[in-house]
Amino acid sequence: MSDIILGIESSCDDTSAAVIKDGILMSNVIASQKVHEAYGGVVPELASRVHQQNIVPVVSEALRQAGIDRHDLSAIAYTRGPGLLGSLHVGTSFAKGMAIGLNIPLIDVNHLHGHVLAHFIKETETDETPEFPYLCLLISGGNSQIVLVRSPFDMEIMGRTIDDAAGEAFDKCAKVMGLPYPGGPHIDRLASEGDASRFKFSKPHIPGYDYSFSGLKTSFLYTLRDSIKTDPDFVEKNKADLCASLQKTIIDILLAKLKPAIIESGVKDVAIGGGVSANSGVRDAIAKLCDNLGTRAWIPARKFTTDNAAMVAMAGYFKYKNKDFSDLGLPPFARTSI
């Protein structure tokens, strides 16, 4: 009998559902929310309302694409947190109700674990996956962490941000340049057209493997403020160079901690995950670093870098095989780490 897991993701502004059968991804449906673009960021109350509208058709479509009847499901995995509480409540409540109705196990998944384990999503039997232990550079809008992954159930944070994350630095700097939300992809596009050596921004001096991006953000803002005083059109004239220099600085900060962590841990596999891992500069830099160190780089397909239910279903599949089920009374949570 097959092990079939339905994954549900609703931590922020994407409603997603996916089906994994015996470890192979059968479907992954994502409904994005355009309503937030006008506000330059996610509005939690609006996100919750749109999740309520989307979750039934998204789950139905995931089951249809997978060719799975709901009665064939073995368990339901859902994102319990971290994320926006209102959004999480929608997914949590739906998953609990469906699990009760079908009388099948419920599996709660840490959203960050999903990103770390996204490299185990297989679309065919021959797809390769990392070997334990491996390092994962988890970089998203709210998290920048170096995680030593010994198993799906044993993860150790070697370093984390003490203030802003890499994704926040991208989005906040993009906003002051007048770029649309989300800003990260626009910076990535413009960076390819600019001179990364044109501007110099502050880099942190934090001990150990912890990160900090608040100083970079402040340095970037001061550069714009001082330059606009003498040239009101400074940003528009230099947007590509600003983006290229900003992106290079963020990458330099990330690699300055990741490289010694790889050497100290002695791992042979290095992975990246989270929304910022879709950035082309980051992907190229990680691949080059791993090549220089003689390690294997695991760079996810871009469709698995953003919030998606495939990673939730994958993390849930591991827990299902371990018989690690959750209680119906568990509430969602807004903040946590690995």
Side-chain angles (χ1 to χ4, degrees):
M1 185 175 178
S2 295
D3 296 324
I4 305 174
I5 310 298
L6 170 66
I8 295 174
E9 156 63 21
S10 67
S11 63
C12 191
D13 60 335
D14 288 333
T15 313
S16 182
V19 175
I20 281 182
K21 180 178 180 181
D22 295 330
I24 306 298
L25 183 66
M26 307 299 292
S27 66
N28 185 37
V29 178
I30 303 174
S32 299
Q33 301 180 6
K34 300 295 185 182
V35 66
H36 307 286
E37 293 179 0
Y39 301 95
V42 177
V43 181
E45 178 61 26
L46 292 178
S48 303
R49 294 179 182 182
V50 179
H51 278 304
Q52 289 179 320
Q53 297 170 0
N54 287 343
I55 194 161
V56 171
V58 165
V59 170
S60 297
E61 180 62 14
L63 291 172
R64 188 196 68 80
Q65 288 186 15
I68 298 295
D69 186 274
R70 66 184 185 277
H71 296 289
D72 295 327
L73 294 173
S74 304
I76 298 175
Y78 71 98
T79 299
R80 186 181 164 212
L84 301 175
L85 271 181
S87 296
L88 290 166
H89 270 296
V90 175
T92 298
S93 299
F94 184 91
K96 289 179 178 180
M98 190 171 183
I100 292 172
L102 296 174
N103 193 29
I104 57 177
L106 187 68
I107 302 170
D108 68 299
V109 171
N110 184 310
H111 179 80
L112 304 183
H113 287 189
H115 279 304
V116 171
L117 297 173
H119 301 276
F120 292 90
I121 299 170
K122 299 177 70 173
E123 296 184 273
T124 69
E125 289 282 358
T126 58
D127 288 352
E128 296 185 356
T129 57
E131 294 183 7
F132 297 109
Y134 67 92
L135 274 188
C136 181
L137 176 62
L138 175 56
I139 35 177
S140 65
N143 296 277
S144 291
Q145 302 178 351
I146 299 175
V147 185
L148 177 60
V149 188
R150 298 188 182 92
S151 80
F153 318 107
D154 184 0
M155 303 182 190
E156 175 190 348
I157 297 177
M158 297 182 65
R160 73 182 83 197
T161 182
I162 62 174
D163 43 57
D164 285 350
E168 290 173 314
F170 273 123
D171 285 340
K172 290 177 180 178
C173 291
K175 187 172 184 178
V176 299
M177 286 190 290
L179 295 175
Y181 174 84
H186 296 284
I187 289 179
D188 190 16
R189 174 180 55 82
L190 288 167
S192 65
E193 306 168 4
D195 179 3
S197 63
R198 173 83 184 283
F199 299 100
K200 303 296 181 183
F201 303 117
S202 296
K203 297 179 183 179
H205 299 282
I206 308 297
Y209 297 123
D210 286 342
Y211 286 114
S212 171
F213 291 95
S214 63
L216 163 63
K217 181 186 67 177
T218 301
S219 172
F220 185 85
L221 294 177
Y222 282 167
T223 297
L224 264 59
R225 183 198 64 181
D226 294 342
S227 300
I228 289 172
K229 287 180 181 179
T230 58
D231 183 1
D233 297 323
F234 171 80
V235 173
E236 197 59 38
K237 292 177 181 177
N238 300 280
K239 195 170 288 185
D241 290 347
L242 285 166
C243 290
S245 300
L246 173 67
Q247 180 165 291
K248 182 181 184 301
T249 305
I250 291 177
I251 292 171
D252 288 347
I253 293 171
L254 291 171
L255 267 56
K257 300 290 185 171
L258 180 62
K259 181 178 179 179
I262 295 171
I263 295 171
E264 180 190 325
S265 63
V267 298
K268 298 301 181 184
D269 289 39
V270 178
I272 55 174
V276 180
S277 66
N279 179 281
S280 58
V282 171
R283 296 164 77 89
D284 292 343
I286 295 297
K288 183 177 180 180
L289 173 66
C290 289
D291 185 56
N292 291 338
L293 294 178
T295 58
R296 289 187 296 180
W298 294 90
I299 300 174
R302 282 187 168 86
K303 61 184 176 181
F304 298 136
T305 59
T306 55
D307 295 345
N308 65 90
M311 67 183 193
V312 176
M314 191 68 249
Y317 179 75
F318 279 120
K319 296 185 78 170
Y320 179 81
K321 300 298 285 187
N322 201 43
K323 294 184 171 27
D324 185 1
F325 306 134
S326 62
D327 189 285
L328 287 169
L330 289 178
F333 55 85
R335 293 185 178 275
T336 189
S337 61
I338 290 293

